[in-house]
Amino acid sequence: MVDLLGMLAYGELVAFDRVAVDARLAPDLRRRAQLSTMAAAEIDNYRRLVARITELGADPQEAMRPFVDVIDAFHDSTKPRNWLEGLVKAYVGDGIADDFFREVAGLLEPDDRQLVLEVLHSDNEFAVAEITGAIADNPAVANRLALWARRLVGEALSQAQRVAAEHDSLTMLIVQGTGDLTKVGELIKRLMQAHADRMTTVGLNN
Amino acid sequence: MVDLLGMLAYGELVAFDRVAVDARLAPDLRRRAQLSTMAAAEIDNYRRLVARITELGADPQEAMRPFVDVIDAFHDSTKPRNWLEGLVKAYVGDGIADDFFREVAGLLEPDDRQLVLEVLHSDNEFAVAEITGAIADNPAVANRLALWARRLVGEALSQAQRVAAEHDSLTMLIVQGTGDLTKVGELIKRLMQAHADRMTTVGLNN
């Protein structure tokens, strides 16, 4: 459980400054402020997770440390080069992460389940509106963004495999929670299907 | 008034992502999170200022635009190279900015005065503790940081002169509010004295 919260907490801390930097790519100050506000929300979530880790008798820094390299590696390999890439990254990344943690939350005790569900990203309307608007203005961007989305998912999967290989406790939580390895396969299938649906929503299903 | 709020608002928006990036220089995750939390607070202030600009019938983006170059120039010329430089920058910059806006707040109508006073940085305890702690550990850093602080003030003054030259409305607000040019001189003297006192507080008065 501490492993899971540590991974979530470091994910939030990093999402905060990555999104804060990506906000500078915004074409105007209104959009920049909108993304900055989304980044700032991650810090509130971070604090709640750290409070819970402390409550469980663990050291938050120790709990986060095992995930620093893998989460940093994901972000280093997927730096957005423009505003739309930043938004697609937020949309794709938040979507998959939320789906994953929502599935895992089902395996937890009620208190922890509640906390994990509450720190998920509630709202992707802004990203959806920006991406679909940009594609409507210039359909040619859809191909590039679809390619970018595939790269994001590829990097996320390869880092997820690293986490699974390195963190037995997390892998066990999921295998035991779901029942067996077949169920883990089904979980991954559900995550990928939900991702494909989100791509369709914004017109990136090609 | 809109000029003043626009300057404050853009200052907050930029402070947000600059501090968010500087937080990465932290020696550990606890300190990094502490600075990230401080950065996130700027976004709340930003939103309040934008709400007030809109209430006054002005466009927040238009109100901020005249200050983009000058505030960006200040930050571009004062990028911290390490954790302590980042903290000294936050300490020195927040201190002078707060003193300035506190003085200007005195010239405003009660509602706006209240808003300006509320978006000031309430708390520099963390920066003070980190800087004094670092100097206690290694007195040699004091000289380097004192030099850095002087550079920060020099850059801030040169950008402030640019603002004064380019924005008659702001300059007039201050000249009329204080009474005459002599009073403006006294205001600058007070700001520099308060800065010197803050330097003494953290052991950077050499």
Side-chain angles (χ1 to χ4, degrees):
Chain A
M1 184 57 205
V2 166
D3 259 3
L4 184 75
L5 295 178
M7 181 165 71
L8 253 175
Y10 188 70
E12 297 277 4
L13 187 59
V14 174
F16 166 74
D17 70 56
R18 298 285 175 160
V19 177
V21 170
D22 295 348
R24 289 192 199 161
L25 298 167
D28 59 49
L29 294 173
R30 184 187 64 78
R31 288 182 168 88
R32 174 169 166 178
Q34 189 106 21
L35 205 62
S36 297
T37 304
M38 286 163 64
E42 313 273 9
I43 281 293
D44 281 335
N45 291 338
Y46 167 82
R47 291 164 71 98
R48 296 186 60 185
L49 292 162
V50 162
R52 179 62 182 154
I53 294 170
T54 309
E55 208 175 276
L56 290 168
D59 174 4
Q61 289 207 60
E62 292 301 320
M64 289 189 275
R65 187 160 304 133
F67 304 101
V68 168
D69 285 350
V70 69
I71 293 178
D72 285 355
F74 170 72
H75 285 289
D76 288 340
S77 65
T78 57
K79 280 187 188 151
R81 285 159 307 179
N82 57 51
W83 172 241
L84 284 171
E85 286 192 358
L87 280 177
V88 168
K89 181 174 170 180
Y91 179 64
V92 168
D94 290 355
I96 296 177
D98 285 3
D99 283 344
F100 171 73
F101 285 112
R102 204 174 286 117
E103 294 263 4
V104 175
L107 316 175
L108 304 175
E109 300 300 313
D111 274 9
D112 292 324
R113 181 189 312 154
Q114 193 54 32
L115 173 61
V116 169
L117 290 176
E118 282 176 20
V119 301
L120 302 183
H121 309 83
S122 47
D123 165 25
N124 59 21
E125 274 173 54
F126 175 67
V128 169
E130 288 285 312
I131 298 165
T132 51
I135 294 172
D137 286 350
N138 177 11
V141 304
N143 273 326
R144 269 189 291 119
L145 290 179
L147 207 66
W148 169 243
R150 277 199 291 278
R151 217 185 103 205
L152 291 169
V153 172
E155 290 291 340
L157 283 177
S158 93
Q159 298 303 335
Q161 276 166 351
R162 236 181 99 188
V163 170
E166 288 169 9
H167 298 277
D168 288 348
S169 63
L170 269 179
T171 313
M172 278 303 126
L173 176 74
I174 293 167
V175 173
Q176 288 174 354
T178 48
D180 57 42
L181 274 175
T182 328
K183 294 273 172 53
V184 176
E186 287 168 14
L187 185 154
I188 294 169
K189 230 172 170 172
R190 282 197 299 281
L191 295 180
M192 288 303 101
Q193 185 55 50
H195 166 70
D197 292 346
R198 272 189 301 273
M199 291 295 93
T200 305
T201 301
V202 293
L204 292 180
N205 49 340
N206 52 342
Chain B
M1 184 58 206
V2 167
D3 259 4
L4 183 75
L5 294 178
M7 181 165 71
L8 253 174
Y10 188 69
E12 297 278 4
L13 186 59
V14 174
F16 166 74
D17 70 56
R18 298 287 175 157
V19 177
V21 170
D22 295 347
R24 289 192 200 160
L25 298 167
D28 59 48
L29 294 174
R30 186 187 64 78
R31 288 179 167 91
R32 174 169 166 177
Q34 189 105 22
L35 204 61
S36 297
T37 305
M38 286 163 65
E42 313 273 7
I43 282 293
D44 281 335
N45 291 337
Y46 167 82
R47 291 163 72 98
R48 296 184 60 186
L49 291 162
V50 162
R52 179 62 182 152
I53 293 170
T54 309
E55 209 175 275
L56 289 168
D59 174 4
Q61 288 207 62
E62 291 301 319
M64 288 188 275
R65 187 159 305 133
F67 304 101
V68 168
D69 285 349
V70 68
I71 293 177
D72 285 355
F74 170 72
H75 285 288
D76 288 341
S77 64
T78 57
K79 281 187 188 150
R81 286 159 306 179
N82 58 51
W83 172 242
L84 285 172
E85 286 192 358
L87 281 177
V88 169
K89 180 173 171 181
Y91 179 63
V92 167
D94 290 356
I96 296 177
D98 285 4
D99 283 344
F100 171 73
F101 286 112
R102 205 174 285 116
E103 294 263 4
V104 174
L107 316 174
L108 304 174
E109 300 300 312
D111 273 10
D112 292 324
R113 183 188 311 155
Q114 193 54 31
L115 173 61
V116 169
L117 290 176
E118 282 176 20
V119 299
L120 302 184
H121 309 82
S122 48
D123 165 25
N124 57 22
E125 273 172 55
F126 176 66
V128 169
E130 287 287 312
I131 298 165
T132 51
I135 294 172
D137 286 350
N138 176 10
V141 303
N143 274 326
R144 269 190 290 119
L145 290 180
L147 207 66
W148 168 245
R150 277 199 291 277
R151 216 185 103 205
L152 291 170
V153 173
E155 290 291 341
L157 284 177
S158 93
Q159 298 303 335
Q161 276 167 351
R162 235 179 100 188
V163 171
E166 287 170 8
H167 299 277
D168 288 349
S169 63
L170 268 179
T171 314
M172 280 301 126
L173 176 75
I174 293 166
V175 173
Q176 287 173 355
T178 48
D180 57 42
L181 276 174
T182 329
K183 295 273 172 53
V184 176
E186 286 167 15
L187 184 155
I188 294 170
K189 230 170 167 175
R190 282 197 298 281
L191 294 180
M192 288 303 100
Q193 184 56 51
H195 166 69
D197 293 346
R198 273 189 300 273
M199 291 295 93
T200 305
T201 301
V202 292
L204 292 180
N205 51 339
N206 54 342

